[in-house]
Amino acid sequence: SEKSIRRLAAAIDIVAPELEYLNERNIGIIRDAGKELQCYHVQNRNYPGNTMRDNFRKFSRAGLTGFSYWCFFDRHPEWAPTGAQSYSVVYDGDPEEWTPSKRSEGIRDGMEDFTLLELLKRKNPAAYRELMTQEPTLPRSELRHQALQHL
C-alpha cells in the first residue's frame, strides 16, 4: 500500500517493493524520499518468461539499482516442468546439470537488456532518452539493435 511504501521510504535507505507495487506513484514516493530503488518478484508458473524479460525495460526507465527473485522453496521434493511447483526457475531432472526454465531465460535476457540500456544511458544519454521514448512499441531485437548502434 502507499502507506507501507511511505513508511519504508522513511525508515530505510534501499526500498525494494514487490514488482506488482512498482508503479509511478510508489516510485515517486521513494524517489522524493531520496532513497535507492530496487525490487523483487515472487511469480508463479503461469508468469510468462517474456513478461519477466520485458520488466527489465521498466526497471531501466525507473532507475532501479537492483532486482531479486524469490525462488528458494518449493513444496515438492523434485522440481520438474510437470510438477505442481509454483516458482521454479531451474529443473533438476538431469543429474549432470540443471535445466533452465523459460522464466530463468527471461530473467537472463532481461538482465542483458537492462545492462545494455544502462551502458547506453551512461555513454550516450541523448540516444538513451530517444530510444526510451520509442521503447514500449519496439520489438526486443530492434531495441537491442538501436542501442548497440549508439554505443
Side-chain angles (χ1 to χ4, degrees):
S1 71
E2 182 177 339
K3 181 180 177 182
S4 297
I5 295 293
R6 289 187 185 284
R7 289 178 64 204
L8 284 170
I12 58 178
D13 294 328
I14 300 171
V15 182
E18 207 284 330
L19 176 62
E20 300 304 318
Y21 292 97
L22 193 65
N23 56 48
E24 293 300 321
R25 185 187 71 225
N26 290 339
I27 291 170
I29 292 167
I30 296 164
R31 290 282 177 236
D32 290 347
K35 305 302 174 138
E36 185 175 332
L37 176 61
Q38 299 184 4
C39 80
Y40 75 97
H41 188 48
V42 179
Q43 69 184 27
N44 63 40
R45 65 190 290 166
N46 297 320
Y47 199 90
N50 66 318
T51 301
M52 190 67 248
R53 177 196 68 212
D54 293 343
N55 283 327
F56 282 84
R57 294 181 183 191
K58 177 181 181 178
F59 300 164
S60 181
R61 281 193 311 276
L64 266 71
T65 59
F67 172 75
S68 58
Y69 176 82
W70 186 357
C71 64
F72 177 73
F73 177 73
D74 214 318
R75 291 181 292 262
H76 299 276
E78 182 176 301
W79 290 359
T82 57
Q85 81 283 348
S86 58
Y87 44 79
S88 298
V89 292
V90 293
Y91 304 114
D92 64 354
D94 183 338
E96 300 298 319
E97 66 180 323
W98 290 90
T99 302
S101 72
K102 293 296 183 186
R103 292 175 295 280
S104 67
E105 290 175 359
I107 291 169
R108 184 200 63 226
D109 288 347
M111 290 171 63
E112 289 174 0
D113 293 351
F114 179 86
T115 301
L116 181 61
L117 290 170
E118 292 303 300
L119 287 170
L120 181 61
K121 187 189 301 184
R122 290 185 193 123
K123 186 166 183 168
N124 191 338
Y128 172 82
R129 285 189 301 275
E130 174 62 27
L131 183 59
M132 293 312 282
T133 62
Q134 305 170 45
E135 179 273 323
T137 60
L138 284 178
R140 179 174 185 251
S141 59
E142 183 60 23
L143 176 93
R144 294 175 62 83
H145 176 73
Q146 287 188 34
L148 287 168
Q149 281 185 318
H150 292 291
L151 286 176

